[in-house]
């Protein structure tokens, strides 16, 4: 893909998200979502491998169905109430359909089935974009309509997403699928919190984006496609292995790492609103997720993966293992890792936004 074409597509993705951010009219929200989707598709299949093309088609179909549901619901709302305002109250059926459409875009249960396959079929950078930036536009739609949605349905979908994300990642050996199920679980935490505190959900999303970006960039830098590749990471980059372990454990929410703030903020909001059963379900799902986070950390730093000696020392001729210190990617990784280590110092600042 030519550099100027790539630059135009990236600008279109950003512009589509900005339209969703700044719009209070349903038609312009739909236009922003469609512009965002149509611009990201060529970026996903830019390498034009069969697997990436398949993932791009899956992503396009899922996003098209979601946008079509939103457009049909708002057209019916405009026909009944003569209003295209996002803040217009929704009927029970319309509320369920909008929740389903937004959940389909975010990858919530039961609409999560497409997300791990799409992440597995694209590169690490494209997977990072799908797990972070592409969540912003549907999340803004969810924030705008959360006051007129059925909160019980949204909270149930979020809790089931946490459980499914933890359970689905247990049997995975591919790094991108592990991170995909991790994203499903984290979006469940965020959606459960949004039902009770909008500012808390926004803070959790920003913290997750920072930590997840560091993990994706490190895995992409060293081409860690499976857990066996992680077992060889400590041979040629002990600092990279330690940084990856810290990032993964931060995603798991272990104190005193920065990811613990996500769990702490969410549980604080839920307990203060009396949702003790929901808080218990989220903690249970988090324990399931913590199992495969610890497995990734053990494979990258603490134990050596079973492998042949010739494979273990094949890093001597590997050209993909470069330093990450002097590039933009290295700066982003350093920022993410430093936040994972010292991020809890920012916890009082985060609580000031609640």
């Amino acid at each position: 893909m030519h550099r100027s074409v790539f630059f135009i597509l990236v600008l279109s993705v950003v512009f589509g998200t900005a339209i969703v951010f700044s719009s209070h009219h349903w038609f312009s929200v739909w236009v922003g979502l469609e512009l965002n989707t149509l611009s990201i598709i060529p970026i996903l299949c830019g390498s034009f491998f069969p697997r990436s093309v398949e993932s791009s088609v899956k992503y396009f179909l899922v996003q098209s169905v979601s946008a079509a549901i939103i457009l049909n619901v708002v057209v019916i709302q405009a026909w009944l109430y003569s209003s295209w305002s996002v803040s217009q109250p929704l009927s029970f059926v319309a509320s369920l359909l909008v929740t389903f459409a937004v959940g389909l875009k975010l990858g919530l249960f039961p609409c999560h089935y497409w997300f791990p396959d799409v992440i597995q079929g694209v590169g690490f950078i494209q997977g990072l974009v799908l797990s972070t930036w592409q969540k912003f536009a549907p999340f803004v739609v969810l924030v705008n309509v959360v006051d007129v949605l059925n909160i019980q349905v949204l909270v149930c979908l979020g809790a089931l997403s946490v459980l499914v994300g933890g359970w689905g990642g247990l049997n995975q050996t591919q790094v991108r699928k592990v991170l995909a199920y991790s994203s499903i679980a984290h979006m469940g935490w965020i959606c459960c919190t949004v039902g009770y505190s909008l500012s808390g959900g926004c803070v959790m999303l920003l913290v997750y984006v920072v930590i997840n970006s560091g993990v994706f960039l490190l895995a992409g830098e060293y081409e860690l496609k499976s857990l066996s590749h992680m077992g060889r990471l400590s041979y040629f980059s002990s600092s990279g292995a330690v940084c990856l372990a810290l990032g993964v454990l931060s995603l798991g929410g272990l104190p005193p790492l920065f990811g613990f703030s996500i769990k702490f903020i969410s549980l604080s909001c839920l307990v203060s609103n009396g949702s003790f059963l929901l808080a218990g379900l989220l903690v249970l799902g988090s324990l399931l997720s913590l199992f495969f986070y610890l497995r990734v950390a053990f494979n990258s730093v603490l134990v050596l993966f079973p492998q042949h000696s010739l494979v273990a020392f094949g890093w001597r001729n590997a050209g993909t293992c470069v330093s990450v210190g002097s590039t933009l990617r290295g700066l982003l990784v350093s920022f993410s890792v430093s936040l994972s280590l010292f991020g809890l110092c920012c916890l009082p600042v985060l609580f000031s936004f609640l």
Side-chain angles (χ1 to χ4, degrees):
M1 183 183 298
H2 197 271
R3 184 174 300 177
S4 60
V5 176
F6 177 77
F7 183 69
I8 292 174
L9 290 174
V10 171
L11 285 181
S12 300
V13 171
V14 176
F15 184 62
T17 306
I19 291 176
V20 178
F21 267 76
S22 59
S23 178
H24 297 282
H25 191 279
W26 273 117
F27 185 75
S28 55
V29 168
W30 175 79
V31 169
L33 292 174
E34 286 297 289
L35 178 62
N36 182 278
T37 300
L38 294 176
S39 301
I40 198 68
I41 295 299
I43 297 177
L44 296 181
C45 61
S47 55
F48 211 73
F49 293 118
R51 190 70 176 88
S52 62
V53 173
E54 177 189 350
S55 298
S56 303
V57 171
K58 288 181 180 179
Y59 182 76
F60 172 73
L61 293 176
V62 169
Q63 299 299 312
S64 299
V65 169
S66 176
I69 293 174
I70 293 177
L71 184 61
N72 280 276
V73 169
V74 300
V75 166
I76 294 174
Q77 285 290 115
W79 177 50
L80 293 176
Y81 301 105
S82 300
S83 174
W84 287 83
S85 175
V86 175
S87 59
Q88 174 69 33
L90 301 174
S91 63
F92 179 74
V93 177
S95 174
L96 290 180
L97 289 176
V98 171
T99 305
F100 175 79
V102 174
L104 193 60
K105 283 186 173 292
L106 292 175
L108 292 179
F109 177 87
C111 316
H112 66 285
Y113 54 88
W114 62 273
F115 193 69
D117 288 337
V118 171
I119 294 295
Q120 180 63 27
V122 298
F124 280 100
I125 300 300
Q126 290 90 338
L128 171 61
V129 173
L130 293 180
S131 299
T132 55
W133 181 266
Q134 291 300 102
K135 303 289 187 182
F136 286 148
F139 182 76
V140 170
V141 176
L142 178 63
V143 169
N144 288 333
V145 301
V146 70
D147 293 332
V148 296
L149 290 181
N150 193 328
I151 300 301
Q152 287 75 20
V153 175
L154 178 64
V155 167
C156 288
L157 293 183
L160 290 174
S161 298
V162 174
L163 295 175
V164 169
W167 187 264
L170 292 178
N171 200 31
Q172 301 298 326
T173 59
Q174 300 296 317
V175 174
R176 279 171 289 189
K177 281 198 173 183
V178 169
L179 294 177
Y181 280 105
S182 169
S183 178
I184 293 172
H186 277 88
M187 291 312 300
W189 276 88
I190 293 170
C191 289
C192 287
T193 308
V194 164
Y196 297 96
S197 173
L198 293 179
S199 56
C202 295
V203 170
M204 291 172 62
L205 180 63
L206 292 178
V207 173
Y208 165 71
V209 166
V210 171
I211 302 173
N212 194 51
S213 299
V215 175
F216 261 101
L217 290 174
L218 270 174
E221 184 71 29
Y222 295 110
E223 290 295 328
L224 304 176
K225 297 180 180 180
S226 64
L227 296 183
S228 61
H229 288 87
M230 286 188 172
R232 297 195 294 269
L233 179 59
S234 58
Y235 283 108
F236 53 81
S237 178
S238 57
S239 60
V242 171
C243 291
L244 181 65
L246 288 175
V248 169
L249 293 178
S250 184
L251 278 177
L254 285 182
L257 300 177
F258 194 30
F260 174 70
S261 60
I262 297 179
K263 274 57 173 190
F264 189 82
I265 291 173
S266 179
L267 293 177
S268 175
C269 294
L270 295 177
V271 171
S272 61
N273 285 277
S275 300
F276 301 105
L277 178 60
L278 177 60
L281 287 176
L282 294 184
V283 171
L284 178 61
S286 181
L287 291 177
L288 291 174
S289 301
L290 189 59
F291 179 84
F292 60 78
Y293 288 134
L294 289 173
R295 183 174 62 175
V296 171
F298 284 153
N299 286 336
S300 60
V301 177
L302 301 178
V303 297
L304 298 180
F305 206 86
Q307 53 197 337
H308 196 276
S309 60
L310 295 178
V311 177
F313 293 98
W315 59 270
R316 297 182 184 275
N317 297 324
T320 59
C321 309
V322 296
S323 175
V324 298
S326 58
T327 62
L328 177 60
R329 183 181 298 184
L331 293 176
L332 293 175
V333 169
S334 302
F335 176 71
S336 175
V337 172
S338 62
L339 272 184
S340 295
L341 281 173
F342 307 109
L344 282 186
C345 300
C346 306
L347 193 58
V349 179
L350 296 179
F351 264 94
S352 66
F353 293 104
L354 303 181

